Amino acid sequence: MNNAIRTENLVKRFRKVEALSGLDLTVPEGSIYAFVGPNGAGKTTAIKILMNIVGATRGRAEVLGLDSMQLAGRHFASIGYVSENQELPEWMRVDAFLAYLRPFYLTWDRTLENDLVSQFDLPLDRKLKDLSRGMRMKAALAGALAFHPKLMVLDEPFTGLDPLVRDELIQGLLERAEESTIFISSHDLAEVESFASHVGYLERGQLRFSEELTTLVDRFREVELTFDSPPALPARLPDTWMQLNSSAAVVRFVESRFDAEKTATEILRVFGETRGSAFAPMTLRSIFLTMAKDGTKLRAGRSDS
Amino acid sequence: MRQILHVFRKDVRRYWREAAVSMALLFVHGWNEVHSWYHEKPLEIWGFFASRFLSGLVIALVPIAWAFLFVRVIHAEPLVGDRQFWVTRPYEWKKLLAAKLLYALVFINIPMLVLQVYLLAKAGFNPLTYAFGLVWMQGLIAVSFLLPVAAVAVVTSSVIQVLLTTLVIAVYLIGMAVLSSQIPSSSFSFWVDGLQADIFIGAALAIVFLQYARRDTLKSRWLIGGLGVAIFLILVATPYRTLVEHEYPRTEAASPMQLTLLPGGASGEGPLPSRENDAEIQLPLSLSGIAPGTMVQVKGVLVEIEGPDGLRWDPGWNSPGLFLFPDAKATQIAFKLPKRMFERIRDLPVRIRLSFAFTLFRDTNQRAFVVPAGEFAMPGVGLCTTEGGYRQTIHCRVPLRRPTSLLVSADMSASTCPIAKGDLPADPGQMARNWTSSGDSDPAELGISPIQTVDFYLNYSNPSSQQIQPGICPASSLVLSNPKAVASNRTAVELDGVRVGDYQLKPVEIGGYGFAIRH
């Protein structure tokens, strides 16, 4: 499978602040890739580098097989980009905005445009500056979908939108997902959990994981072990165990590489015999929080040392 | 081309109000311009000043409106920042730039061209004859006005930022002007001005292209800073004196003019008033030796003073703008001596060395011309009149540019102007001259209007009443000629034992304006 987006050791510094620290990212063609991470993780910076809005300090990024630094003009005829903080020509009415965009794209689809206007219930006779935030995002999305882009890049498109508008936008996106790769950044997993096929988690400029959502959910388990008496906790735990805690004769942790057989063997090696064990699947949100807390703990440990 | 027109049409829709205002101002300017050519009715004094103020205001507002319009159009697709929607759309930078240039062409250059064609026709000139000059004027406006405006607009993202940048540039230019006034010989620096202009144009073009091609605002702003530093370095590091000496080599042959110092008045009493920082010195010189049919333009004068005890004063070259003719018997060199220096040497005999950088001209293409009544065509100039306004002038409307070198001479004793009863006519052979010359021979001058007004002042001081007497009236005879530069050289006059106190111009006590020679 080809990759729609690929970065290698991407670094971006703003004076002394390192926004991206060696980002290696791969977004397969046809995927709906959720690029998640807390605010300030570097998602928007990464996207701006991908769109050649800002330059990288070091490293390389490819978008649709082209070095992102070469992205210009005609290349954007197959890329749709929508961002929460994009400055639209607000003096234009919605109909004028769409009419203005039309001639830039050979693949502009008037029928699709009309469908999107209708689906998003866009008020054509109102100026962009007079629209609510949600309506403005819908207008931007309509302008980015109507030419059948090969790649849709959306930077925090749902921030601050009410659930109804968010669902409409997601619906609009999903109906066109088959023909595009969708790369969508968000700081809220719940927004993207329902429809993403792949997920990447960025924290402090580093990608903590990036994989298909199904395999991610498959490999994370909340493990609960019960013992006859409180067990002795070993000084060194397996690297794949996270958030370990114990109370009386119960030990809980998150296994980040769950494999029924291997995990059971590892538990036996560490604790010996247990009275009982339970392995519960986790929601993406729980995985996200576990990773975030683990990262915080790691950082705290580093700064303490 | 499709994209260029598409973006252009969008800008037309967006900025029609700004464009309409700029064109309305241009129209008003054209109307004012036409009325300024004629002095049909003398205005009341308040009316005169009100009309001058309003026309001056419009002249200032037209470029401001253009600049505002062009800045707004460029800012429609801002090049600064990382949130613009257009950068992730299929815009091609060359086409975007072309669309902006097309806008400037259609809403700035073409209206200006239309006005210029109208003004030429209204002034009595066939516009087709001056087509090349009109195109040249468009180019001048583009390079000297629109290009700098564009260079500022592409590194800013709002009108406020443009105003702040303009303010910084204005402060820089004032600082440079002050600095230039402190650097000896820098006022005599035509070559440096040219070099600075070339660097400025090159940098402005680079900034515009860099921003459109790469949107590298940081680099572009560094380029602006570098331009400021380069111009500063050129100003302070230029060896002005060496350049003058190179451009005006010491004449090997005998100097085409001989100058000797004439006696000054009696020495003054007491120190200079405390409010004066300088003493104004004027050295009267007798003049001879200028061959008939030639004339000398003194482009630079260097005054060096050596006093006792190694005292030395040398302010560098200055441009006096002196024109010397064969029949002139005397001239004068004026300069300001710092008060402290003056107080030290005012009564001491000092040695003064006067160096002159001059260009010798030979009078060519002499032709007689009798001034007709009413409006008349003056060969090589334009359409002129002696009526209305100030009667001692020939008031001319000139297409595109002032004459490169035109000398108008008249024998005042043959003037046909009436003189008041009891007044005497001018002395026989008393000549009045007016020499219009400029350093370039470009097809047109920078400006909005293609019509320049040139006044030839030809008058004399009436020997009996000492009043200024108009010398040119209908039927007066003139000699027109075109002096041609034949050599540029340097010569020097050594003056020994000069007491500068004898040549001081005393400040006028009342009001502090003007000077009177102290006797």
Side-chain angles (χ1 to χ4, degrees):
Chain A
M1 184 182 274
N2 291 330
N3 294 317
I5 293 172
R6 195 166 69 88
T7 71
E8 275 175 31
N9 192 28
L10 207 57
V11 174
K12 178 66 183 177
R13 272 183 219 282
F14 295 103
R15 297 210 172 111
K16 288 182 179 176
V17 178
E18 192 164 80
L20 291 177
S21 315
L23 177 66
D24 292 310
L25 179 71
T26 305
V27 178
E29 263 182 15
S31 62
I32 302 177
Y33 192 105
F35 192 44
V36 295
N39 289 328
K43 301 185 297 295
T44 296
T45 302
I47 288 175
K48 282 183 175 171
I49 292 171
L50 291 174
M51 294 293 98
N52 196 21
I53 296 171
V54 297
T57 308
R58 207 167 57 236
R60 179 181 161 78
E62 269 182 21
V63 176
L64 297 179
L66 191 78
D67 186 332
S68 70
M69 287 176 71
Q70 307 298 320
L71 272 190
R74 61 195 165 86
H75 303 121
F76 285 102
S78 49
I79 300 171
Y81 169 73
V82 175
S83 167
E84 59 157 345
N85 54 22
Q86 202 170 25
E87 287 167 356
L88 298 175
E90 304 217 316
W91 60 276
M92 283 187 186
R93 288 172 17 154
V94 175
D95 53 358
F97 174 62
L98 295 172
Y100 179 62
L101 292 178
R102 242 173 259 148
F104 282 99
Y105 301 93
L106 290 174
T107 55
W108 190 274
D109 184 340
R110 280 300 293 269
T111 312
L112 176 57
E113 177 198 324
N114 292 336
D115 289 350
L116 288 164
V117 167
S118 164
Q119 183 180 354
F120 292 152
D121 200 19
L122 284 171
L124 290 174
D125 58 347
R126 287 179 64 188
K127 288 185 176 176
L128 290 170
K129 67 178 176 189
D130 297 329
L131 297 183
S132 66
R133 185 182 162 75
M135 275 297 176
R136 228 177 304 172
M137 286 305 290
K138 285 182 186 176
L141 195 60
L145 284 171
F147 57 93
H148 301 284
K150 285 185 189 163
L151 173 66
M152 277 294 300
V153 177
L154 301 115
D155 185 14
E156 300 274 6
F158 309 127
T159 305
L161 301 188
D162 65 58
L164 188 66
V165 174
R166 195 178 62 195
D167 287 351
E168 284 174 350
L169 284 178
I170 291 170
Q171 189 61 30
L173 261 181
L174 291 181
E175 284 175 14
R176 278 103 208 154
E178 282 179 15
E179 59 190 20
S180 298
T181 303
I182 298 173
F183 183 75
I184 182 165
S185 82
S186 175
H187 63 272
D188 187 352
L189 261 181
E191 286 176 351
V192 293
E193 188 176 5
S194 61
F195 63 89
S197 65
H198 290 68
V199 65
Y201 176 64
L202 190 73
E203 189 186 42
R204 293 226 155 186
Q206 289 182 317
L207 197 65
R208 299 292 305 278
F209 61 80
S210 174
E211 61 193 286
E212 271 190 73
L213 201 58
T214 48
T215 60
L216 180 72
V217 173
D218 280 351
R219 73 180 173 86
F220 273 84
R221 286 290 185 277
E222 266 179 338
V223 179
E224 187 177 286
L225 305 175
T226 50
F227 298 89
D228 293 329
S229 57
L233 296 177
R236 186 172 169 76
L237 294 168
D239 290 341
T240 59
W241 292 8
M242 303 161 81
Q243 304 277 300
L244 185 136
N245 62 72
S246 66
S247 62
V250 178
V251 171
R252 293 186 188 85
F253 64 91
V254 173
E255 166 62 287
S256 63
R257 293 277 170 209
F258 177 73
D259 177 290
E261 202 173 312
K262 281 184 187 167
T263 303
T265 310
E266 197 68 3
I267 290 168
L268 189 64
R269 187 182 67 75
V270 173
F271 293 108
E273 286 299 326
T274 59
R275 187 152 65 101
S277 56
F279 304 96
M282 295 171 71
T283 62
L284 198 54
R285 183 179 172 77
S286 308
I287 296 170
F288 180 90
L289 288 172
T290 304
M291 295 293 291
K293 282 177 187 166
D294 199 57
T296 307
K297 197 173 76 184
L298 280 173
R299 282 197 304 279
R302 272 201 295 273
S303 60
D304 289 347
S305 64
Chain B
M1 193 63 192
R2 210 173 123 204
Q3 190 175 110
I4 296 170
L5 291 175
H6 185 58
V7 176
F8 169 74
R9 277 195 295 266
K10 181 262 298 174
D11 287 337
V12 172
R13 280 195 298 274
R14 174 81 175 102
Y15 299 110
W16 67 269
R17 291 178 195 85
E18 289 89 337
V21 168
S22 81
M23 283 194 276
L25 284 167
L26 192 64
F27 172 81
V28 174
H29 171 59
W31 187 83
N32 273 343
E33 176 76 9
V34 171
H35 282 77
S36 74
W37 298 337
Y38 306 104
H39 306 281
E40 285 156 355
K41 275 188 206 167
L43 290 165
E44 299 285 337
I45 191 75
W46 66 268
F48 174 77
F49 282 112
S51 83
R52 292 300 289 249
F53 172 76
L54 287 175
S55 70
L57 187 67
V58 173
I59 291 171
L61 285 176
V62 169
I64 289 172
W66 280 347
F68 182 72
L69 175 64
F70 200 29
V71 162
R72 295 273 286 156
V73 167
I74 288 173
H75 282 177
E77 276 85 12
L79 296 148
V80 177
D82 56 6
R83 295 180 173 195
Q84 316 88 309
F85 101 103
W86 70 270
V87 299
T88 51
R89 298 286 177 175
Y91 277 83
E92 288 180 38
W93 75 264
K94 287 177 194 161
K95 291 177 181 172
L96 179 60
L97 177 58
K100 304 302 172 186
L101 295 179
L102 178 64
Y103 192 94
L105 181 74
V106 171
F107 288 98
I108 297 175
N109 288 93
I110 289 179
M112 179 176 143
L113 183 64
V114 170
L115 177 74
Q116 288 172 334
V117 167
Y118 168 76
L119 289 175
L120 274 174
K122 188 80 182 167
F125 304 103
N126 180 1
L128 283 177
T129 314
Y130 302 101
F132 179 69
L134 291 176
V135 173
W136 182 272
M137 286 186 84
Q138 304 304 314
L140 282 180
I141 283 285
V143 169
S144 60
F145 178 71
L146 295 178
L147 179 61
V149 168
V152 171
V154 297
V155 295
T156 52
S157 58
S158 68
V159 173
I160 297 291
Q161 280 187 17
V162 170
L163 289 175
L164 288 174
T165 309
T166 308
L167 188 68
V168 170
I169 292 170
V171 169
Y172 170 82
L173 291 177
I174 291 167
M176 292 294 281
V178 170
L179 180 65
S180 176
S181 69
Q182 303 299 314
I183 298 175
S185 305
S186 63
S187 63
F188 196 43
S189 62
F190 314 113
W191 316 275
V192 176
D193 293 345
L195 177 64
Q196 287 175 336
D198 291 346
I199 291 176
F200 173 78
I201 291 167
L205 278 172
I207 289 164
V208 171
F209 278 95
L210 182 65
Q211 279 298 83
Y212 271 95
R214 300 268 173 88
R215 289 185 295 108
D216 196 337
T217 305
L218 187 65
K219 217 174 265 178
S220 296
R221 287 178 178 169
W222 274 110
L223 205 51
I224 292 176
L227 173 66
V229 172
I231 289 176
F232 168 78
L233 289 177
I234 289 169
L235 180 70
V236 297
T238 298
Y240 296 100
R241 242 177 142 122
T242 309
L243 285 173
V244 175
E245 285 164 10
H246 177 262
E247 191 73 8
Y248 296 90
R250 188 173 290 282
T251 176
E252 297 296 327
S255 174
M257 57 183 178
Q258 275 74 52
L259 296 156
T260 50
L261 184 67
L262 294 169
S267 178
E269 299 286 326
L272 273 176
S274 58
R275 65 189 158 88
E276 298 296 331
N277 293 322
D278 302 295
E280 184 93 358
I281 308 296
Q282 194 175 69
L283 300 177
L285 300 164
S286 74
L287 173 68
S288 61
I290 298 178
T294 66
M295 57 217 68
V296 169
Q297 183 181 8
V298 178
K299 298 207 172 158
V301 171
L302 173 65
V303 180
E304 295 165 281
I305 298 178
E306 286 176 30
D309 306 326
L311 205 63
R312 196 175 155 75
W313 183 74
D314 172 2
W317 288 92
N318 279 301
S319 307
L322 270 180
F323 296 92
L324 305 175
F325 295 94
D327 56 343
K329 302 286 182 246
T331 186
Q332 59 205 20
I333 298 299
F335 59 93
K336 283 182 175 176
L337 200 56
K339 183 178 181 179
R340 208 169 146 195
M341 182 75 183
F342 175 73
E343 299 291 2
R344 282 180 71 183
I345 64 168
R346 63 189 300 169
D347 294 321
L348 298 175
V350 295
R351 182 187 173 93
I352 297 181
R353 181 184 170 86
L354 293 176
S355 300
F356 297 87
F358 65 88
T359 299
L360 179 67
F361 284 81
R362 193 170 302 287
D363 211 7
T364 64
N365 194 24
Q366 279 195 358
R367 63 269 189 205
F369 182 77
V370 177
V371 177
E375 189 169 272
F376 56 91
M378 199 158 144
V381 184
L383 295 172
C384 309
T385 178
T386 57
E387 294 165 5
Y390 305 101
R391 288 187 60 88
Q392 64 266 38
T393 66
I394 302 177
H395 182 71
C396 298
R397 299 192 303 275
V398 181
L400 302 183
R401 58 158 302 141
R402 294 172 184 86
T404 304
S405 178
L406 177 73
L407 178 63
V408 181
S409 314
D411 183 347
M412 291 292 99
S413 64
S415 169
T416 55
C417 297
I419 52 173
K421 202 171 179 184
D423 278 353
L424 295 169
D427 295 335
Q430 185 178 344
M431 299 297 291
R433 293 188 181 86
N434 197 302
W435 186 0
T436 306
S437 77
S438 64
D440 66 71
S441 54
D442 293 343
E445 290 180 30
L446 173 64
I448 298 170
S449 171
I451 304 298
Q452 310 294 332
T453 53
V454 179
D455 290 314
F456 295 96
Y457 290 85
L458 293 157
N459 46 49
Y460 63 100
S461 176
N462 192 284
S464 49
S465 65
Q466 301 300 316
Q467 295 289 311
I468 296 295
Q469 191 73 34
I472 299 301
C473 293
S476 291
S477 291
L478 305 177
V479 175
L480 309 182
S481 60
N482 303 105
K484 293 256 185 300
V486 288
S488 287
N489 289 105
R490 196 157 36 98
T491 189
V493 179
E494 306 278 352
L495 309 172
D496 285 318
V498 180
R499 282 161 30 99
V500 292
D502 294 347
Y503 297 95
Q504 183 204 358
L505 291 175
K506 192 179 176 188
V508 173
E509 298 299 335
I510 301 164
Y513 296 102
F515 293 89
I517 296 176
R518 191 176 57 183
H519 292 292

